[in-house]
């Protein structure tokens, strides 16, 4: 199952909340279009089209886009520079938690962290004298424009998007050849970086042993990136990068997504509830197991055969009856850990405008940051198996802890999800509100007038609905 508060490209170390200074003025769009998630992704991979990218490259093969656009290169440089680190060190950055200092030596990663709080003078010394790479974790916590970029990408992919900045001095390499279990986009921000990509030993790999460099074969791609260029490669792609001689230093940003977003992960999420529902109507699934089955040292072929019979029957019923599968854990993990809307202030989520009435037309606010789930009631009562609808949102998520994991105290307390709960009878009306731009309150489906008012008032009170 997806893990709450997981990191992409995680590091070891204690988690501490770092104060963030937020700007409250919207930055200029520059060469990227932020009008919609799709428009943004289209501008990010320009001149390639979105359809061509997903048909020919996504989860299939690397893509290298060399762009000789001075405006784009300037915008990329503004996202993060080596000079930004001096100011960021004043926020009380911690080694391992916020950044690593590392270098690839003889094919192995050597971590050169000092421990404790990061001092810029020591960081600069290690960078210049030890030729160490600075790996800065989740810079969107501090850089508003990266918050903006990653918020749009999370809306586009419907998946968490993490990031790291890698700053590597001349003639040095930070990491040995390695692979990641995420889809990776590389933005070259400063200088030049030499990249080598190798064919993965397992398609869409998650787990396999990476041998030494001399055994991983001939590179499938060997190229130089400069400011404004973009590189994409699928998860499982073995890769390495270094700053060539003659280049003062190189800075690139990794944008990583689609961790634990496979069909297998989805089936692990939806299958338990589907099986539970099937047991209610299929008495064969409620028949007792053979005597002493659990104490057997091994199960014979007849047990495998019986399980196959059940699975085929379940698949036939799912296809024939077109039952709606319920995805819960993956949705909750995403909505509770994603970024809040860009530059959102808490005053923005207060009830907007007049209170809704039956005569009004209404629309959902922050639709890209809301999710519907159907699941069992979480009340500790006899009705705990009753199905209810949850409207979950990310409006109060903390940007400063995005993709930084959770503390032991938070894990013990359990997840606290922001949103509202409604009876299952309200599902059709909620789907109506989520699918249409505007809906007349009186036209909400399958509920009485009193429930229509209760539903819209609940959403309005949470700041999720406005009267048009």
């Amino acid at each position: 199952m997806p893990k709450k508060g997981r990191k992409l490209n995680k590091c070891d170390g204690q988690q501490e909340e770092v104060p963030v200074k937020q700007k409250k003025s919207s930055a200029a769009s520059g060469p990227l279009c932020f009008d919609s998630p799709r428009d943004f992704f289209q501008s990010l991979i320009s001149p390639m089209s979105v359809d061509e990218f997903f048909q020919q490259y996504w989860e299939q093969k690397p893509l290298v886009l060399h762009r000789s656009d001075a405006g784009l290169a300037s915008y990329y440089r503004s996202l993060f520079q080596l000079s930004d680190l001096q100011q960021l060190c004043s926020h009380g950055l911690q080694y391992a938690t916020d950044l690593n200092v590392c270098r690839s030596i003889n094919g192995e990663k050597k971590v050169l962290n000092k421990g404790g709080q990061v001092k810029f003078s020591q960081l600069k010394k290690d960078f210049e004298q030890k030729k160490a790479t600075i790996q800065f974790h989740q810079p969107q916590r501090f850089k508003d424009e990266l918050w903006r970029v990653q918020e749009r990408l999370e809306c586009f992919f419907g998946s968490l998007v993490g990031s790291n900045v890698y700053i590597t001095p001349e003639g040095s390499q930070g990491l040995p050849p390695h692979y990641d279990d995420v889809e990776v986009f590389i933005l070259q921000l400063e200088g030049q970086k030499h990249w080598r990509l190798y064919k993965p030993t397992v398609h869409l790999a998650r787990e396999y042993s990476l041998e030494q460099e001399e055994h991983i074969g001939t590179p499938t791609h060997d190229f130089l990136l400069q400011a404004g260029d973009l590189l994409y490669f699928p998860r499982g792609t073995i890769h390495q990068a270094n700053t060539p001689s003659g280049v003062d230093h190189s800075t690139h940003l990794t944008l990583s997504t689609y961790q634990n977003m496979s069909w297998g992960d989805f089936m692990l999420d939806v299958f338990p509830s589907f099986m539970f529902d099937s047991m209610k109507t299929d008495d064969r699934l409620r028949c007792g197991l053979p005597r002493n089955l659990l104490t057997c040292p091994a199960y014979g072929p007849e047990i495998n055969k019986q399980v196959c019979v059940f699975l085929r029957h379940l698949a036939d019923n799912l296809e024939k009856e077109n039952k709606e599968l319920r995805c819960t854990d993956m949705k909750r993990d995403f909505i509770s850990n994603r970024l809040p809307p860009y530059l959102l202030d808490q005053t923005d989520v207060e009830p907007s405008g007049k209170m809704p009435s039956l005569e009004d037309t209404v629309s959902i606010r922050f639709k890209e940051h809301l999710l519907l789930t159907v699941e069992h009631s979480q009340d500790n009562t006899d009705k705990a198996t009753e199905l209810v609808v949850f409207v979950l949102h990310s409006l109060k998520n903390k940007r400063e802890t995005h993709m930084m994991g959770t503390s032991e105290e938070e894990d013990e307390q359990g997840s606290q999800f922001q949103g509202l709960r409604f009876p299952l009878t309200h599902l059709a009306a909620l789907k109506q509100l989520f699918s249409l731009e505007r809906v007349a309150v009186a036209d909400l489906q399958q509920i009485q007038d009193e429930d229509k008012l209760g539903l819209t008032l609940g959403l309005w009170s949470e700041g999720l609905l406005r009267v048009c």
Side-chain angles (χ1 to χ4, degrees), residues 107-350:
E108 294 185 2
K109 177 183 176 180
K110 300 294 184 182
V111 179
L112 308 175
N113 293 349
K114 300 301 179 183
Q117 187 167 318
V118 179
K119 294 182 179 180
F120 181 73
S121 58
Q122 181 64 54
L123 195 64
K124 184 179 179 182
K125 182 179 179 180
D126 291 337
F127 182 78
E128 295 176 347
Q129 298 182 8
K130 295 183 179 180
K131 296 290 184 179
T133 289
I134 300 170
Q135 179 188 24
F136 189 76
H137 306 306
Q138 310 304 339
Q140 72 277 8
R141 297 175 294 146
F142 305 94
K143 299 287 286 185
D144 282 354
E145 193 67 5
L146 288 178
W147 174 13
R148 191 184 195 190
V149 165
Q150 289 176 236
E151 185 269 344
R152 290 286 83 185
L153 286 176
E154 288 188 335
C155 289
F156 179 73
F157 284 108
S159 174
L160 296 176
V161 176
S163 67
N164 279 323
V165 166
Y166 294 85
I167 308 175
T168 304
E170 176 185 5
S172 184
Q173 181 170 328
L175 302 174
H178 65 285
Y179 72 95
D180 302 298
D181 65 344
V182 288
E183 305 296 317
V184 180
F185 295 86
I186 305 292
L187 277 60
Q188 186 66 30
L189 308 185
E190 288 184 302
Q192 297 177 331
K193 187 151 285 182
H194 175 227
W195 285 84
R196 284 182 177 174
L197 308 183
Y198 303 82
K199 185 177 180 179
T201 58
V202 178
H203 181 55
L204 299 181
R206 277 196 175 181
E207 299 286 344
Y208 61 85
S209 298
L210 178 60
E211 300 176 353
Q212 295 297 318
E213 181 178 356
E214 58 265 28
H215 300 300
I216 62 178
T218 304
T220 58
H221 297 74
D222 195 315
F223 52 88
L224 197 68
L225 289 185
Q226 59 186 2
D229 289 347
L230 180 143
L231 164 66
Y232 159 79
F233 51 83
R235 62 185 180 275
T237 303
I238 303 170
H239 58 279
Q240 61 175 318
N242 65 79
T243 301
S245 299
V247 177
D248 180 64
H249 69 272
S250 173
T251 304
H252 76 265
L253 171 76
T254 65
L255 296 168
S256 307
T257 191
Y258 254 59
Q259 188 177 54
N260 298 338
M261 284 289 288
S262 68
W263 277 109
D265 294 306
F266 181 75
M267 291 176 68
L268 283 171
D269 192 359
V270 302
F271 194 78
S273 61
F274 174 57
M275 174 63 78
F276 184 84
D277 291 342
S278 299
M279 290 176 65
K280 295 179 181 178
T281 57
D282 191 339
D283 56 3
R284 289 172 297 180
L285 292 171
R286 301 197 300 273
C287 289
L289 292 170
R291 185 172 56 84
N292 284 334
L293 178 65
L294 300 183
T295 61
C296 292
Y299 303 141
E302 67 279 2
I303 299 299
N304 287 357
K305 182 178 180 179
Q306 184 58 58
V307 170
C308 289
V309 169
F310 285 137
L311 290 175
R312 292 190 187 100
H313 182 66
L314 287 169
D316 289 342
N317 282 348
L318 178 61
E319 186 173 24
K320 179 175 61 178
E321 300 178 15
N322 195 27
K323 293 183 178 180
E324 186 169 351
L325 297 172
R326 300 199 302 273
C327 175
T328 300
D329 289 341
M330 292 180 73
K331 283 187 173 183
R332 282 182 170 253
D333 180 71
F334 174 51
I335 201 69
S336 63
N337 293 297
R338 64 179 298 189
L339 283 164
Y342 175 64
L343 291 183
L344 184 74
D345 189 275
Q346 288 309 303
T347 58
D348 298 330
V349 299
E350 295 177 355

Side-chain angles (χ1 to χ4, degrees), residues 5 7 15 97-98 137-138 141 400-406:
K7 297 183 193 177
Q15 306 297 323
T97 301
D98 297 299
H137 306 306
Q138 310 304 339
R141 297 175 294 146
E400 58 266 27
T401 57
H402 181 245
M403 302 305 297
M404 293 300 291
T406 55

Side-chain angles (χ1 to χ4, degrees), residues 367-410:
K367 191 178 295 185
E368 293 171 346
H369 286 263
L370 273 63
L371 284 179
L372 287 178
T373 69
V374 176
E375 51 194 289
H376 293 290
S377 170
Q378 298 176 346
D379 293 338
N380 187 22
T381 68
D382 292 339
K383 294 185 178 181
T385 58
E386 178 186 16
L387 289 177
V388 295
V389 185
F390 286 91
V391 178
L392 305 175
H393 65 78
S394 59
L395 305 186
K396 298 178 182 178
N397 288 2
K398 294 182 179 180
R399 168 212 183 177
E400 58 266 27
T401 57
H402 181 245
M403 302 305 297
M404 293 300 291
T406 55
S407 66
E408 293 182 4
E409 180 180 352
E410 288 173 322

